[in-house]
Amino acid sequence: MPNREEEANHAPRKLTWREKTAALLDLPAEGVAGTPKVSLTGDRELYLENYKGILAYGKEEIHVNGGPWVLRILGRDLEIKAMRAGEMRITGWVERLELL
């Protein structure tokens, strides 16, 4: 049985007023609220929009600040191929994605 600390770590985060507005008006949240958007093509390419910054970078692990969460990308031969303001493309063998 999980204890209170474990329950707190898995509690869903509260939506921002922008996310609530986007949902109410049936608009895409990433456009209205600046919510991060992750697109994965197979296991070889990941495209990320609306991220806040890179927290850690290596060939086997990349941590990206997504604002409300941290995206942890795990794999082999990971490389940031393109990066612009708020957009990033990562290539390599993507084995796992984790939201922290």
Side-chain angles (χ1 to χ4, degrees):
M1 178 166 232
N3 62 33
R4 285 194 176 170
E5 184 177 326
E6 289 173 343
E7 289 176 2
N9 289 338
H10 297 294
R13 70 175 182 83
K14 293 184 179 185
L15 296 177
T16 66
W17 68 270
R18 288 182 182 190
E19 290 171 319
K20 289 177 186 176
T21 302
L24 181 66
L25 298 175
D26 198 26
L27 298 170
E30 68 271 7
V32 176
T35 302
K37 178 180 178 182
V38 178
S39 302
L40 183 62
T41 305
D43 62 354
R44 299 285 294 158
E45 183 176 85
L46 183 137
Y47 182 72
L48 182 62
E49 296 177 74
N50 298 327
Y51 70 95
K52 307 296 183 212
I54 299 169
L55 303 173
Y57 179 68
K59 289 284 188 185
E60 295 179 351
E61 195 168 323
I62 299 174
H63 296 195
V64 179
N65 180 356
W69 40 257
V70 171
L71 175 64
R72 187 169 146 190
I73 304 153
L74 302 159
R76 293 176 286 136
D77 299 322
L78 298 176
E79 185 177 353
I80 297 174
K81 281 292 191 180
M83 192 162 92
R84 291 183 269 171
E87 299 177 11
M88 179 180 356
R89 185 169 59 98
I90 298 172
T91 60
W93 297 97
V94 178
E95 296 173 351
R96 190 168 76 221
L97 301 174
E98 296 177 356
L99 290 177
L100 308 173

